[in-house]
Amino acid sequence: MGAMTATRDAGDGRGAPLSWGNVKLARRFRAMNTDVELLATDPRPASLLAEAETLFHDVARRLSRFSADSDLSKLNASGGGEQRVSQVLFDALAAALRMHDATQGVFDPSVLADLEALGYDRSFEALEQDSSPLPAPAAYRRPKFAAVRLDLARLTVELPEGMRIDLGGIGKGFAVDLAAAVLRPACDFLVNAGGDIYAEGNGPDGDGWLVSVADPFNPDDDISLLRLRGQALATSTTVIRRWRRAGRMYHHLIDPRTGQPAENGVASVSVVALTATEADVFAKTALILGPEEGKGFLEERGTPGLFVLENREAFQTSWWPGWPPASQ
């Protein structure tokens, strides 16, 4: 969220129409509660774009925590014990475990009970602005997400007793990477799922795919432009996905160390990485960690990041590849 493809002119970054240049194919649809677009500069791989769209819908169907018959919901309802799962869910959980380890536990899909306790118990599009008090939180022991056991040979998952999982923190990036794998024979393409972007090849003008990071407070304005080639971009923000309960605003980025939404003065973090999964998770992790620790987390990994604070100030890591639109 907060990042856009080059649907804007590179001039002032304020929404002028893009000259589509050599983009020959564009496919747009709705999946995972967001707008998705697939772009390619070669008109031949139309069937690949259709396959990538089908894949997106399949991932959304299997990983949703809001659909009672999804693969994830069935796993969450299993009450522990070894369960056979689909390849998609198995691969998503394997990626989540890798990211949990890479972030030293800051990325933690086992915060579902915390989200529900704060009122986020249905799809955000259906979330009511409920003014009633939150129910008293149920006492529970948080199992360790690292204790999830996967068996590739049997395609089974074993959750610790009492654990239920939300894959919203990795699902879009994971789906973007799967779609990119489908589109790779096209050589020159872009996948954008609500700001989780992967771009491959030279782009419409032969110099990579021009993308922008939108101001989280004024989405029609851009705060940075950059070109992606074999790279991903993702933005995590506390500004957009918010809801009110009992007179207080909440957001969906839970700090697993407290079980509460992160409150550290950061409004958004954008990250460039080699995969959308990594960009997605690292952006959320840096935001949860806060300005100093979050920047240090990215710097230690050589990962470019752009931070926007709640006071609307912005700063970036040493390797941020973008530039301000005003400099054009």
Side-chain angles (χ1 to χ4, degrees):
M1 301 172 70
M4 301 183 67
T5 65
T7 53
R8 314 212 233 208
D9 182 74
D12 63 4
R14 293 181 181 271
L18 170 75
S19 173
W20 284 97
N22 291 323
V23 169
K24 304 299 184 184
L25 286 177
R27 193 177 186 99
R28 297 180 178 85
F29 53 93
R30 186 94 179 155
M32 306 182 86
N33 290 327
T34 195
D35 295 322
V36 182
E37 64 177 346
L38 311 174
L39 308 177
T41 62
D42 187 332
R44 292 172 294 179
S47 62
L48 295 180
L49 269 67
E51 183 181 347
E53 178 178 351
T54 298
L55 180 149
F56 254 99
H57 293 304
D58 185 56
V59 171
R61 177 173 59 86
R62 294 183 183 279
L63 302 189
S64 172
R65 71 173 170 96
F66 303 113
S67 173
D69 62 354
S70 74
D71 294 356
L72 179 61
S73 291
K74 291 176 181 177
L75 178 64
N76 281 337
S78 68
E82 193 174 58
Q83 302 292 321
R84 186 171 176 83
V85 299
S86 66
Q87 188 72 58
V88 168
L89 178 54
F90 185 95
D91 291 345
L93 288 169
L97 281 167
R98 290 194 297 271
M99 291 295 98
H100 180 72
D101 182 63
T103 63
Q104 299 178 325
V106 177
F107 169 70
D108 190 337
S110 69
V111 296
L112 178 53
D114 298 313
L115 285 167
E116 291 176 338
L118 295 173
Y120 194 3
D121 55 0
R122 71 212 80 171
S123 173
F124 194 80
E125 292 181 342
L127 191 65
E128 300 174 359
Q129 299 301 302
D130 191 345
S131 61
S132 63
L134 290 169
Y140 75 102
R141 178 184 60 84
R142 179 191 293 281
K144 299 291 186 182
F145 183 67
V148 172
R149 294 292 177 258
L150 305 181
D151 187 325
L152 178 59
R154 294 188 294 168
L155 214 62
T156 60
V157 177
E158 184 175 355
L159 299 183
E161 184 179 356
M163 179 181 289
R164 292 184 303 124
I165 289 172
D166 171 34
L167 291 174
I170 195 173
K172 280 199 302 175
F174 175 74
V176 168
D177 287 335
L178 290 182
V182 169
L183 295 175
R184 194 141 283 123
C187 298
D188 200 357
F189 62 86
L190 181 143
V191 182
N192 175 20
D196 280 25
I197 297 170
Y198 181 84
E200 185 76 51
N202 295 324
D205 57 7
D207 194 24
W209 290 86
L210 180 66
V211 301
S212 64
V213 176
D215 183 337
F217 300 102
N218 298 293
D220 289 336
D221 294 343
D222 297 328
I223 58 173
S224 186
L225 300 175
L226 57 156
R227 292 186 181 273
L228 301 179
R229 183 184 284 161
Q231 295 168 297
L233 168 71
T235 297
S236 188
T237 178
T238 64
V239 175
I240 297 175
R241 189 155 293 189
R242 302 178 71 91
W243 65 95
R244 182 180 297 277
R245 288 297 296 270
R248 180 180 172 185
M249 294 300 297
Y250 295 94
H251 64 77
H252 68 299
L253 294 172
I254 300 296
D255 185 338
R257 299 167 296 186
T258 65
Q260 294 293 312
E263 298 292 345
N264 52 36
V266 179
S268 72
V269 179
S270 301
V271 165
V272 174
L274 293 179
T275 69
T277 298
E278 186 174 280
D280 195 5
V281 171
F282 280 12
K284 290 176 174 64
T285 299
L287 190 150
I288 289 170
L289 289 174
E292 295 183 8
E293 193 177 354
K295 183 180 180 183
F297 169 83
L298 296 178
E299 294 270 11
E300 288 173 5
R301 289 155 181 79
T303 301
L306 173 65
F307 291 70
V308 179
L309 304 182
E310 290 175 354
N311 64 8
R312 308 200 177 198
E313 295 180 359
F315 66 90
Q316 62 198 43
T317 63
S318 305
W319 307 282
W320 180 253
W323 64 94
S327 68
Q328 293 297 292

